[in-house]
Amino acid sequence: MLVVPTVSLPPQCFCVFEAIQVIEDDKAKSTEPFTTGVRGQAPPLVTTNFQVKDQGNASPRFVRCTAYNMPCTADMAKQSQVPLAAVIKPLATLPQDESPPYLVDHGEGGPIRCNRCKAYMCPYMQFIEGGRRFQCGFCSCVTEVPPHYFQHLDHTGKRVDCYDRPELSLGSYEFLATVDYCKNNKLPQPPAFIFLIDVSYNAVKSGMVNIVCQELKTLLDYLPRENPEMDSMVRVGFVTYNKVLHFYNVKASLAQPQMLVVSDVSDMFVPLLDGFLVNVNESRLVIESLLDQIPEMFADTRETETVFGPVIQAGLEALKAADCAGKLFVFHTSLPIAEAPGKLKNREDKKLIGTDKEKSLFQPQVGFYNTLAKECVAQGCCVDLFLFPNQYVDVATLGVVPVSTGGSVYKYTYFQAQTDKERFLNDLRRDVQKLVGFDAVMRVRTSTGIRATDFFGSFFMSNTTDVELAGLDCDKAITVEFKHDDKLSEETGALMQCAVLYTSCSGQRRLRVHNMAVNCCSQLADLYRNCETDTIINFFSKYAFRGILSNPTKAVRDTLVNQCAQILACYRKNCASPSSAGQLILPECMKLLPVYLNCVLKSDVLLPGADVSLDDRAYLRQLISCMDVAESHVFFYPRLLPLTKLESGSLPVAVRDSEERLSKGGVYILETGLHLFLWVGASVQQELLLNIFGTPSFSQIDPNMTSLPVLDNPFSERLREIIDSFRAQRSRYMKLMVVKQEDRTELIFRHFLVEDKSASGGASYVDFLCHMHKEIRQLLS
């Protein structure tokens, strides 16, 4: 029997494994660039900064796996209970020192593929018969090489042009797609952006309408483009609404914009075709005039009721009429109770929490939005929703269309212009500018022996194989689970190829391809040696957060604990050297599974505190469904840094997320990917306070500040740099919250000290380890 490096705990002695130690060890070990040419090699952790060199497998920035050594048989997979999955982020942004995927043009015949399984040309295709045919690495079928693609082989059987062709030597690349890959066999139009602004009483009063209109004047210069030198080809349109919809004609030849009102919201149509979707540069003066007038037109509105379904229908109809794909940016404030399709009622019922009926609160209230989402996907109409609620708005229902179309939901509860404007505007700017592909279809092909069986994320599926996305942006990850349908072999390993067909922002049809080869093993020990805990946790959280749609929350939590106990019990039984039953024995690469699993179990979605609203839970559930591994890691196990000494160029070493790590004389920064806190101890030295806040005493710190003062000292400069760098790494802007020790806001901050016992009844890390240990012993006996 193979023995794997293990870590063990003596009976009831709590030498708990520290997440920070594991993270720091990995950073120390990963000094060289990570080259992807070695099959089945696990990459550095997401918390480590490293450079990637693509040598034939997709970069971990595009694909991360739960296991880089898959069990050869279904029985072995079942025995171990380790989920076999990949988290794929097809359009991920790469750091500046890594080159984006090359664009390959195979000519008018289109990309070269296997005749049988239709896999695209990649490094796993074996050329035979002097290069005249190739054998597919996925299904073994032999296909003729088209004459124009023919090339001689060298003495090792490789094509002599192998390293000149991205598709033969790299893990990720793009193909230019031909007209056969387009809808109705015609090349697509460039996409359009439509801005739909709620102008009801709450929207105007909160300052939202004014802020959006002012910002759009500048933002229109930053619409996405392929080439920074060229103008964007994206056209724009504008709608305002409350109980009725107002469309605007902003044709370049008009002296003033024209408003057309549609008051029959039960049968939505677009009252104008010419002049609704326009080129920004041609119509700039008319658009600016409109954006100046909107806040004035509705300044004295008394209308409090809104519609929502017809708003999306309006955008969808406009894109249909223009025969293009696009994105709707909807700025909305309240529960749509006005008489219209998609009308909702308030169903927030605290009494259902914790009962078997709780699951109904996460399901959409009406079927209308599912049908609408399906129509949006068919048109390539992606919806991004910016919510500004002051009370319950039913995020579980309003989020259906954004989530099903590959869009995003942003939420600014109790929006106040002076404190929330910065966060909202940063989110909006990033959302408008980021790389996005439209009308996308993703398919995952695998080599014989396994297949993709389940998918998690923001998308729509009308069959079991095609993941359809009206829009796919650089932040969205899709998680794919694999199951065996035959045996795998250790010699050949297992292959997967993710291909995404999409329309670029300039209207070009493209195929992005990511390839990944992993090892296969017949010994459980090899499986446990090559897993990645952060990716496993990403998978488990998505699996659980989907599970609460159909099961009581408690049942979902029990299932998670049980599956993790089975993973660790199987390891103990089959791979660890014999030892006393009192010891807790964990595989080296999974020693943080318990601490991270406990964080998932204590999340607001699965174990809400009394103050967590149903909308917040639905919002987080939707958000995590499309997170990549780096974002889910910091969300479940936030980063806590002590700020006593700051050196330029390096970050202070983090400390564990526990109150006992906080010193009264210290200042700490904590980030979760959504929140950013600066915690100040009550007895901090005067010098530190002067350096950070420019004030000599603790009592003079203003807890309402959302940005630090710009002071002329190295400490202040470095701290602001760190905050900026944290924000730059995340897909959403984190608002800074200053927390003074013993202040009321400390309760919010403590919620994120995830190793401690939580107010809602979640276990501390040490208590949870004891619980896991007991579960494992029960399974073993």
Side-chain angles (χ1 to χ4, degrees):
M1 182 173 74
L2 276 166
V3 177
V4 185
T6 21
V7 279
S8 60
L9 287 177
Q12 275 50 58
C13 138
F14 295 113
C15 88
V16 285
F17 306 117
E18 294 196 26
I20 303 308
Q21 193 58 54
V22 172
I23 289 168
E24 289 305 316
D25 290 349
D26 191 72
K27 286 177 183 170
K29 166 174 103 192
S30 308
T31 49
E32 298 294 306
F34 176 71
T35 54
T36 70
V38 184
R39 184 179 85 189
Q41 186 184 9
L45 298 179
V46 285
T47 40
T48 298
N49 272 333
F50 59 98
Q51 193 194 4
V52 180
K53 290 206 157 80
D54 182 343
Q55 293 186 348
N57 273 320
S59 156
R61 306 194 202 289
F62 294 125
V63 183
R64 272 187 181 265
C65 301
T66 53
Y68 287 86
N69 209 334
M70 280 196 174
C72 282
T73 64
D75 287 346
M76 195 174 153
K78 195 174 169 189
Q79 195 186 351
S80 74
Q81 287 289 309
V82 173
L84 304 176
V87 180
I88 306 175
K89 198 175 175 186
L91 299 185
T93 313
L94 300 179
Q96 289 187 315
D97 57 359
E98 294 175 24
S99 52
Y102 289 97
L103 185 59
V104 177
D105 185 354
H106 274 178
E108 55 207 50
I112 294 172
R113 328 172 53 169
C114 164
N115 265 348
R116 185 196 295 155
C117 73
K118 301 292 184 233
Y120 294 91
M121 183 51 67
C122 69
Y124 317 135
M125 302 301 190
Q126 182 74 45
F127 287 87
I128 53 175
E129 294 178 25
R132 286 188 297 280
R133 304 167 85 180
F134 68 89
Q135 184 166 27
C136 177
F138 296 88
C139 72
S140 304
C141 172
V142 173
T143 302
E144 296 281 330
V145 173
H148 71 87
Y149 195 68
F150 173 78
Q151 186 53 267
H152 294 285
L153 308 184
D154 65 14
H155 64 285
T156 66
K158 269 201 162 135
R159 281 173 57 124
V160 295
D161 64 350
C162 174
Y163 293 105
D164 305 330
R165 288 193 175 271
E167 75 276 21
L168 299 181
S169 54
L170 298 179
S172 301
Y173 42 85
E174 291 201 313
F175 287 121
L176 203 52
T178 53
V179 76
D180 310 341
Y181 290 84
C182 303
K183 258 190 200 157
N184 308 329
N185 282 1
K186 60 177 198 207
L187 292 172
Q189 300 280 340
F193 282 2
I194 303 176
F195 299 91
L196 305 111
I197 307 164
D198 174 348
V199 287
S200 64
Y201 176 76
N202 278 341
V204 173
K205 194 181 70 159
S206 69
M208 181 271 278
V209 174
N210 197 19
I211 291 169
V212 169
C213 291
Q214 283 311 310
E215 180 62 25
L216 286 179
K217 291 196 293 195
T218 329
L219 253 186
L220 294 175
D221 288 329
Y222 297 97
L223 297 173
R225 63 205 72 202
E226 225 67 69
N227 176 349
E229 312 297 305
M230 311 269 287
D231 289 340
S232 172
M233 295 170 77
V234 175
R235 290 172 297 165
V236 296
F238 303 88
V239 174
T240 55
Y241 67 93
N242 39 47
K243 266 195 340 198
V244 299
L245 275 75
H246 323 103
F247 292 79
Y248 297 93
N249 184 347
V250 282
K251 203 170 167 178
S253 56
L254 295 173
Q256 277 295 327
Q258 292 172 346
M259 178 204 268
L260 292 97
V261 180
V262 174
S263 52
D264 177 9
V265 290
S266 62
D267 184 18
M268 188 39 67
F269 68 100
V270 179
L272 75 159
L273 292 180
D274 191 24
F276 180 63
L277 291 181
V278 295
N279 174 298
V280 172
N281 289 351
E282 291 167 11
S283 293
R284 178 168 297 270
L285 291 172
V286 196
I287 292 173
E288 293 200 346
S289 163
L290 170 66
L291 293 171
D292 285 336
Q293 286 174 43
I294 288 174
E296 292 166 17
M297 280 192 286
F298 299 99
D300 302 322
T301 184
R302 285 277 160 267
E303 184 54 75
T304 55
E305 292 192 357
T306 57
V307 297
F308 185 70
V311 178
I312 295 175
Q313 283 175 326
L316 170 63
E317 291 304 323
L319 293 177
K320 275 186 187 166
D323 193 23
C324 68
K327 196 188 245 197
L328 312 184
F329 296 81
V330 184
F331 304 92
H332 188 79
T333 58
S334 59
L335 190 71
I337 55 173
E339 208 43 63
K343 171 186 171 177
L344 301 177
K345 58 180 195 289
N346 188 335
R347 55 165 181 166
E348 186 173 35
D349 187 352
K350 284 274 199 294
K351 291 197 292 294
L352 298 182
I353 308 292
T355 70
D356 278 3
K357 290 198 173 135
E358 181 180 9
K359 56 180 182 269
S360 66
L361 302 176
F362 291 106
Q363 296 160 0
Q365 193 179 132
V366 291
F368 170 82
Y369 291 102
N370 296 62
T371 313
L372 181 54
K374 191 175 174 177
E375 290 172 31
C376 286
V377 172
Q379 184 55 40
C381 168
C382 176
V383 179
D384 280 354
L385 174 59
F386 293 81
L387 281 172
F388 305 85
N390 289 339
Q391 53 206 43
Y392 177 74
V393 289
D394 199 349
V395 175
T397 306
L398 297 189
V400 167
V401 180
V403 167
S404 309
T405 57
S408 308
V409 179
Y410 297 85
K411 184 163 164 285
Y412 311 91
T413 312
Y414 305 121
F415 179 79
Q416 285 179 316
Q418 65 266 51
T419 51
D420 298 305
K421 177 178 173 179
E422 185 185 16
R423 177 165 79 104
F424 163 53
L425 287 182
N426 275 286
D427 283 344
L428 176 59
R429 284 169 194 152
R430 192 166 187 280
D431 197 57
V432 167
Q433 295 175 46
K434 67 185 172 188
L435 174 69
V436 59
F438 292 95
D439 225 343
V441 183
M442 173 175 126
R443 185 173 278 196
V444 177
R445 293 179 172 84
T446 50
S447 53
T448 312
I450 51 164
R451 60 193 173 89
T453 54
D454 208 349
F455 300 86
F456 302 81
S458 292
F459 53 75
F460 181 81
M461 290 185 82
S462 51
N463 57 37
T464 54
T465 50
D466 294 326
V467 174
E468 298 170 55
L469 303 116
L472 171 64
D473 66 50
C474 56
D475 298 325
K476 296 288 187 299
I478 292 134
T479 299
V480 185
E481 187 180 13
F482 301 99
K483 289 261 184 355
H484 287 75
D485 55 10
D486 205 344
K487 281 199 177 75
L488 293 166
S489 99
E490 289 185 78
E491 287 75 70
T492 53
L495 309 177
M496 65 174 168
Q497 182 180 77
C498 162
V500 182
L501 177 65
Y502 71 96
T503 302
S504 73
C505 60
S506 62
Q508 199 176 55
R509 204 71 176 142
R510 294 185 176 176
L511 265 158
R512 179 164 290 201
V513 179
H514 298 296
N515 301 292
M516 179 61 91
V518 297
N519 285 334
C520 294
C521 56
S522 54
Q523 299 285 333
L524 281 163
D526 291 329
L527 164 65
Y528 283 101
R529 206 182 267 119
N530 284 296
C531 288
E532 205 200 14
T533 298
D534 293 328
T535 312
I536 291 174
I537 288 293
N538 178 287
F539 174 82
F540 275 153
S541 64
K542 291 172 181 178
Y543 184 78
F545 286 11
R546 185 173 71 186
I548 61 171
L549 289 175
S550 43
N551 302 288
T553 319
K554 183 182 182 308
V556 171
R557 293 178 40 224
D558 292 345
T559 304
L560 274 184
V561 172
N562 184 27
Q563 188 168 358
C564 282
Q566 289 198 333
I567 290 174
L568 299 174
C570 172
Y571 171 76
R572 164 97 198 222
K573 187 174 157 195
N574 298 289
C575 312
S577 41
S579 57
S580 93
Q583 285 185 318
L584 173 59
I585 297 188
L586 305 174
E588 180 67 39
C589 70
M590 281 192 193
K591 58 186 178 186
L592 299 182
L593 195 62
V595 64
Y596 292 160
L597 180 72
N598 192 30
C599 299
V600 175
L601 295 170
K602 288 176 5 181
S603 68
D604 286 335
V605 179
L606 295 181
L607 191 69
D611 54 342
V612 180
S613 71
L614 187 60
D615 272 346
D616 277 333
R617 294 175 70 195
Y619 171 69
L620 289 173
R621 200 189 78 73
Q622 293 168 359
L623 194 58
I624 283 142
S625 72
C626 55
M627 270 188 184
D628 72 353
V629 182
E631 293 211 283
S632 63
H633 178 275
V634 75
F635 177 82
F636 289 115
Y637 195 90
R639 177 154 62 154
L640 180 62
L641 302 181
L643 299 175
T644 28
K645 292 195 202 60
L646 289 185
E647 276 136 43
S648 65
S650 68
L651 285 174
V653 172
V655 294
R656 288 168 60 182
D657 289 338
S658 170
E659 201 171 341
E660 52 187 53
R661 302 287 149 167
L662 301 175
S663 127
K664 273 189 160 174
V667 177
Y668 298 79
I669 193 164
L670 179 131
E671 75 128 344
T672 73
L674 298 179
H675 306 91
L676 194 58
F677 298 94
L678 190 69
W679 184 89
V680 189
S683 39
V684 170
Q685 290 173 337
Q686 193 174 16
E687 185 193 6
L688 205 51
L689 292 177
L690 283 166
N691 279 341
I692 299 174
F693 302 104
T695 160
S697 86
F698 179 77
S699 60
Q700 286 175 326
I701 300 169
D702 172 12
N704 297 320
M705 64 166 76
T706 54
S707 58
L708 295 177
V710 177
L711 303 172
D712 189 13
N713 69 68
F715 195 95
S716 167
E717 282 169 26
R718 179 67 186 128
L719 177 53
R720 284 178 288 114
E721 260 173 35
I722 289 174
I723 289 174
D724 288 344
S725 77
F726 280 12
R727 283 175 173 156
Q729 285 170 26
R730 306 293 167 214
S731 62
R732 299 189 175 225
Y733 186 83
M734 298 180 287
K735 173 171 139 183
L736 182 69
M737 191 167 168
V738 174
V739 177
K740 294 161 74 172
Q741 189 176 8
E742 320 262 283
D743 239 10
R744 264 199 346 221
T745 50
E746 208 183 22
L747 277 174
I748 305 173
F749 170 78
R750 276 201 200 141
H751 181 72
F752 298 102
L753 299 176
V754 289
E755 289 202 17
D756 297 341
K757 204 173 157 147
S758 74
S760 51
S764 72
Y765 175 27
V766 169
D767 290 347
F768 184 68
L769 262 184
C770 289
H771 177 62
M772 276 310 276
H773 190 198
K774 203 170 89 201
E775 294 279 319
I776 293 166
R777 282 173 70 172
Q778 261 178 330
L779 286 171
L780 290 172
S781 62

